[in-house]
């Protein structure tokens, strides 16, 4: 009743492989600041770069089976690698009455996967623009 399944995909130059795993909760964090529930869950399922077999690969996850009762665990305790100590994040996580999980579900529909990839590209572009803005603001000071 409390367990779901996720399929993790890893894409390298040699192709794509996947692995399915069971889970009892979705772990999210708010260490980077306050966010809404979708931004937090995105962190668990969005594409990310990883090191595999002496190269770089893309990894993302999709839910193959969602449990009737979904548990979301907010990771409040984090580790600061600069200070080399643990800290407790007190940032706000905005919850909604209804959470739509369809965007995280595994699908064979190409239009859904294309939409996810488009969103990942937007987020990547936004992240680089925010980094550039921060750099420009540092130079003005």
């Amino acid at each position: 009743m409390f367990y779901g399944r996720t399929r993790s995909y890893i894409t390298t130059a040699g192709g794509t492989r996947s692995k399915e795993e069971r889970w009892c909760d979705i772990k999210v964090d708010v260490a980077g600041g306050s966010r809404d529930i979708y931004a937090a869950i995105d962190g668990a399922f969005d594409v990310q770069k990883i090191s595999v077999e002496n190269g770089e690969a893309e990894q993302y996850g999709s839910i193959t089976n969602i449990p009737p009762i979904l548990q979301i665990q907010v990771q409040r305790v984090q580790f600061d690698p600069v200070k080399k100590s643990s800290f407790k994040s007190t940032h706000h996580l905005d919850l909604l009455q209804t959470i739509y999980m369809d965007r995280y579900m595994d699908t064979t529909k190409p239009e859904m996967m294309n939409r996810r990839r488009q969103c990942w590209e937007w987020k990547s572009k936004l992240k680089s623009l925010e980094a550039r803005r921060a750099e420009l603001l540092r130079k003005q000071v």
Side-chain angles (χ1 to χ4, degrees):
M1 175 168 279
F2 294 102
Y3 282 88
R5 286 194 307 276
T6 299
R7 184 174 309 271
S8 296
Y9 293 91
I10 297 176
T11 304
T12 62
T16 301
R17 63 181 190 253
S18 65
K19 178 173 93 171
E20 192 166 277
E21 297 176 310
R22 287 173 41 109
W23 48 266
C24 62
D25 58 18
I26 298 174
K27 292 173 180 47
V28 301
D29 76 66
V30 290
S34 297
R35 54 177 48 175
D36 70 19
I37 188 65
Y38 291 113
I41 296 173
D42 284 352
F45 295 103
D46 276 358
V47 71
Q48 56 187 332
K49 302 283 186 194
I50 61 169
S51 295
V52 175
E53 301 165 359
N54 299 325
E56 193 174 82
E58 283 188 346
Q59 177 185 23
Y60 69 92
S62 294
I63 299 172
T64 56
N65 184 21
I66 196 160
I69 299 174
L70 177 64
Q71 297 182 85
I72 297 175
Q73 179 181 342
V74 182
Q75 302 283 95
R76 292 281 180 194
V77 178
Q78 303 288 328
F79 183 76
D80 185 340
V82 175
K83 296 179 181 177
K84 303 216 184 301
S85 64
S86 298
F87 69 96
K88 182 178 179 181
S89 172
T90 58
H91 293 290
H92 176 73
L93 178 63
D94 188 30
L95 299 174
L96 304 169
Q97 185 71 29
T98 303
I99 302 170
Y100 297 97
M101 299 299 289
D102 55 335
R103 67 183 78 188
Y104 308 108
M105 299 302 292
D106 201 32
T107 181
T108 57
K109 295 180 181 177
E111 65 272 8
M112 291 297 290
M113 226 20 247
N114 290 340
R115 183 68 172 168
R116 278 185 89 181
R117 289 195 182 284
Q118 185 179 39
C119 288
W120 295 336
E121 289 173 16
W122 290 340
K123 288 177 186 177
S124 175
K125 181 69 174 172
L126 181 60
K127 187 176 180 179
S128 67
L129 289 171
E130 287 171 341
R132 178 68 177 142
R133 179 178 182 262
E135 179 185 335
L136 291 170
L137 289 173
R138 278 194 303 273
K139 286 182 179 179
Q140 289 178 356
V141 175

PDB file of all heavy atoms in Angstrom, residues 5 11-12 32 44-45 61 71-72 76 113 117-119 137 140:
ATOM      1  N   ARG A   5       7.087   2.206  -7.447  1.00  0.00           N
ATOM      2  CA  ARG A   5       8.261   1.781  -8.214  1.00  0.00           C
ATOM      3  C   ARG A   5       8.673   2.907  -9.145  1.00  0.00           C
ATOM      4  O   ARG A   5       7.837   3.596  -9.730  1.00  0.00           O
ATOM      5  CB  ARG A   5       7.964   0.520  -9.021  1.00  0.00           C
ATOM      6  CG  ARG A   5       7.897  -0.727  -8.169  1.00  0.00           C
ATOM      7  CD  ARG A   5       7.931  -2.015  -8.974  1.00  0.00           C
ATOM      8  NE  ARG A   5       6.944  -2.107 -10.030  1.00  0.00           N
ATOM      9  CZ  ARG A   5       5.681  -2.498  -9.885  1.00  0.00           C
ATOM     10  NH1 ARG A   5       5.237  -2.823  -8.696  1.00  0.00           N
ATOM     11  NH2 ARG A   5       4.878  -2.561 -10.910  1.00  0.00           N
ATOM     12  N   THR A  11      21.596   7.445 -19.800  1.00  0.00           N
ATOM     13  CA  THR A  11      21.922   7.529 -21.223  1.00  0.00           C
ATOM     14  C   THR A  11      23.383   7.909 -21.390  1.00  0.00           C
ATOM     15  O   THR A  11      23.820   8.954 -20.906  1.00  0.00           O
ATOM     16  CB  THR A  11      21.034   8.571 -21.932  1.00  0.00           C
ATOM     17  OG1 THR A  11      19.664   8.228 -21.711  1.00  0.00           O
ATOM     18  CG2 THR A  11      21.312   8.620 -23.414  1.00  0.00           C
ATOM     19  N   THR A  12      24.134   7.038 -22.071  1.00  0.00           N
ATOM     20  CA  THR A  12      25.536   7.285 -22.387  1.00  0.00           C
ATOM     21  C   THR A  12      25.690   7.247 -23.899  1.00  0.00           C
ATOM     22  O   THR A  12      24.716   7.037 -24.625  1.00  0.00           O
ATOM     23  CB  THR A  12      26.448   6.210 -21.760  1.00  0.00           C
ATOM     24  OG1 THR A  12      26.101   4.937 -22.316  1.00  0.00           O
ATOM     25  CG2 THR A  12      26.300   6.152 -20.247  1.00  0.00           C
ATOM     26  N   GLY A  32      18.210  24.643  -0.657  1.00  0.00           N
ATOM     27  CA  GLY A  32      18.512  25.777  -1.526  1.00  0.00           C
ATOM     28  C   GLY A  32      17.576  26.958  -1.367  1.00  0.00           C
ATOM     29  O   GLY A  32      17.754  27.991  -2.003  1.00  0.00           O
ATOM     30  N   ALA A  44      13.886  15.125  -7.567  1.00  0.00           N
ATOM     31  CA  ALA A  44      14.010  13.666  -7.517  1.00  0.00           C
ATOM     32  C   ALA A  44      13.890  13.021  -8.893  1.00  0.00           C
ATOM     33  O   ALA A  44      14.396  11.913  -9.093  1.00  0.00           O
ATOM     34  CB  ALA A  44      12.942  13.094  -6.588  1.00  0.00           C
ATOM     35  N   PHE A  45      13.258  13.703  -9.854  1.00  0.00           N
ATOM     36  CA  PHE A  45      12.974  13.061 -11.139  1.00  0.00           C
ATOM     37  C   PHE A  45      13.550  13.765 -12.364  1.00  0.00           C
ATOM     38  O   PHE A  45      13.531  13.207 -13.456  1.00  0.00           O
ATOM     39  CB  PHE A  45      11.465  12.889 -11.316  1.00  0.00           C
ATOM     40  CG  PHE A  45      10.869  11.953 -10.310  1.00  0.00           C
ATOM     41  CD1 PHE A  45      10.166  12.433  -9.226  1.00  0.00           C
ATOM     42  CD2 PHE A  45      11.050  10.587 -10.422  1.00  0.00           C
ATOM     43  CE1 PHE A  45       9.638  11.572  -8.278  1.00  0.00           C
ATOM     44  CE2 PHE A  45      10.523   9.713  -9.485  1.00  0.00           C
ATOM     45  CZ  PHE A  45       9.816  10.212  -8.410  1.00  0.00           C
ATOM     46  N   GLY A  61      14.614   9.921 -13.625  1.00  0.00           N
ATOM     47  CA  GLY A  61      13.717   8.885 -13.134  1.00  0.00           C
ATOM     48  C   GLY A  61      12.284   9.159 -13.521  1.00  0.00           C
ATOM     49  O   GLY A  61      11.894  10.300 -13.773  1.00  0.00           O
ATOM     50  N   GLN A  71       3.935   9.142   0.247  1.00  0.00           N
ATOM     51  CA  GLN A  71       4.669   9.767   1.344  1.00  0.00           C
ATOM     52  C   GLN A  71       5.801  10.609   0.762  1.00  0.00           C
ATOM     53  O   GLN A  71       6.546  10.135  -0.084  1.00  0.00           O
ATOM     54  CB  GLN A  71       5.262   8.706   2.268  1.00  0.00           C
ATOM     55  CG  GLN A  71       4.213   7.854   2.943  1.00  0.00           C
ATOM     56  CD  GLN A  71       4.855   6.857   3.869  1.00  0.00           C
ATOM     57  OE1 GLN A  71       5.134   7.183   5.017  1.00  0.00           O
ATOM     58  NE2 GLN A  71       5.113   5.667   3.372  1.00  0.00           N
ATOM     59  N   ILE A  72       5.917  11.832   1.237  1.00  0.00           N
ATOM     60  CA  ILE A  72       6.997  12.716   0.814  1.00  0.00           C
ATOM     61  C   ILE A  72       7.792  13.075   2.057  1.00  0.00           C
ATOM     62  O   ILE A  72       7.238  13.590   3.037  1.00  0.00           O
ATOM     63  CB  ILE A  72       6.457  13.975   0.118  1.00  0.00           C
ATOM     64  CG1 ILE A  72       5.721  13.563  -1.161  1.00  0.00           C
ATOM     65  CG2 ILE A  72       7.589  14.938  -0.191  1.00  0.00           C
ATOM     66  CD1 ILE A  72       5.043  14.683  -1.890  1.00  0.00           C
ATOM     67  N   ARG A  76      15.432  17.743   5.965  1.00  0.00           N
ATOM     68  CA  ARG A  76      15.747  19.007   6.634  1.00  0.00           C
ATOM     69  C   ARG A  76      17.219  19.107   7.011  1.00  0.00           C
ATOM     70  O   ARG A  76      17.782  20.179   7.027  1.00  0.00           O
ATOM     71  CB  ARG A  76      14.887  19.163   7.887  1.00  0.00           C
ATOM     72  CG  ARG A  76      13.426  19.369   7.593  1.00  0.00           C
ATOM     73  CD  ARG A  76      13.175  20.785   7.191  1.00  0.00           C
ATOM     74  NE  ARG A  76      11.767  21.006   6.905  1.00  0.00           N
ATOM     75  CZ  ARG A  76      11.328  22.062   6.279  1.00  0.00           C
ATOM     76  NH1 ARG A  76      12.160  22.987   5.882  1.00  0.00           N
ATOM     77  NH2 ARG A  76      10.065  22.214   6.037  1.00  0.00           N
ATOM     78  N   MET A 113       7.405  12.694 -23.309  1.00  0.00           N
ATOM     79  CA  MET A 113       8.852  12.716 -23.073  1.00  0.00           C
ATOM     80  C   MET A 113       9.473  13.965 -23.689  1.00  0.00           C
ATOM     81  O   MET A 113      10.363  14.581 -23.090  1.00  0.00           O
ATOM     82  CB  MET A 113       9.473  11.464 -23.694  1.00  0.00           C
ATOM     83  CG  MET A 113      10.463  10.686 -22.867  1.00  0.00           C
ATOM     84  SD  MET A 113      10.466  10.908 -21.116  1.00  0.00           S
ATOM     85  CE  MET A 113      12.026  11.693 -20.941  1.00  0.00           C
ATOM     86  N   ARG A 117      11.640  16.829 -21.691  1.00  0.00           N
ATOM     87  CA  ARG A 117      12.958  17.286 -22.157  1.00  0.00           C
ATOM     88  C   ARG A 117      12.967  18.798 -22.389  1.00  0.00           C
ATOM     89  O   ARG A 117      13.936  19.476 -22.074  1.00  0.00           O
ATOM     90  CB  ARG A 117      13.373  16.547 -23.420  1.00  0.00           C
ATOM     91  CG  ARG A 117      13.716  15.107 -23.151  1.00  0.00           C
ATOM     92  CD  ARG A 117      14.465  14.464 -24.304  1.00  0.00           C
ATOM     93  NE  ARG A 117      14.723  13.076 -24.032  1.00  0.00           N
ATOM     94  CZ  ARG A 117      15.660  12.623 -23.202  1.00  0.00           C
ATOM     95  NH1 ARG A 117      16.437  13.469 -22.573  1.00  0.00           N
ATOM     96  NH2 ARG A 117      15.828  11.336 -22.991  1.00  0.00           N
ATOM     97  N   GLN A 118      11.884  19.318 -22.942  1.00  0.00           N
ATOM     98  CA  GLN A 118      11.780  20.761 -23.164  1.00  0.00           C
ATOM     99  C   GLN A 118      11.836  21.508 -21.825  1.00  0.00           C
ATOM    100  O   GLN A 118      12.533  22.523 -21.707  1.00  0.00           O
ATOM    101  CB  GLN A 118      10.474  21.073 -23.896  1.00  0.00           C
ATOM    102  CG  GLN A 118      10.313  22.522 -24.286  1.00  0.00           C
ATOM    103  CD  GLN A 118       9.009  22.767 -25.022  1.00  0.00           C
ATOM    104  OE1 GLN A 118       7.972  22.196 -24.693  1.00  0.00           O
ATOM    105  NE2 GLN A 118       9.071  23.616 -26.025  1.00  0.00           N
ATOM    106  N   CYS A 119      11.141  21.011 -20.829  1.00  0.00           N
ATOM    107  CA  CYS A 119      11.172  21.632 -19.491  1.00  0.00           C
ATOM    108  C   CYS A 119      12.572  21.573 -18.897  1.00  0.00           C
ATOM    109  O   CYS A 119      13.025  22.533 -18.282  1.00  0.00           O
ATOM    110  CB  CYS A 119      10.174  20.952 -18.557  1.00  0.00           C
ATOM    111  SG  CYS A 119       8.461  21.333 -18.938  1.00  0.00           S
ATOM    112  N   LEU A 137      26.298  40.944 -11.267  1.00  0.00           N
ATOM    113  CA  LEU A 137      26.056  41.734 -10.066  1.00  0.00           C
ATOM    114  C   LEU A 137      27.302  41.788  -9.173  1.00  0.00           C
ATOM    115  O   LEU A 137      27.562  42.805  -8.535  1.00  0.00           O
ATOM    116  CB  LEU A 137      24.862  41.183  -9.291  1.00  0.00           C
ATOM    117  CG  LEU A 137      23.492  41.403  -9.948  1.00  0.00           C
ATOM    118  CD1 LEU A 137      22.416  40.671  -9.185  1.00  0.00           C
ATOM    119  CD2 LEU A 137      23.180  42.898 -10.047  1.00  0.00           C
ATOM    120  N   GLN A 140      29.729  44.429 -10.528  1.00  0.00           N
ATOM    121  CA  GLN A 140      29.318  45.820 -10.338  1.00  0.00           C
ATOM    122  C   GLN A 140      29.652  46.326  -8.941  1.00  0.00           C
ATOM    123  O   GLN A 140      29.738  47.518  -8.728  1.00  0.00           O
ATOM    124  CB  GLN A 140      27.804  45.956 -10.564  1.00  0.00           C
ATOM    125  CG  GLN A 140      27.426  45.796 -12.026  1.00  0.00           C
ATOM    126  CD  GLN A 140      25.914  45.895 -12.214  1.00  0.00           C
ATOM    127  OE1 GLN A 140      25.160  46.000 -11.267  1.00  0.00           O
ATOM    128  NE2 GLN A 140      25.502  45.843 -13.467  1.00  0.00           N
TER     129      GLN A 140
END
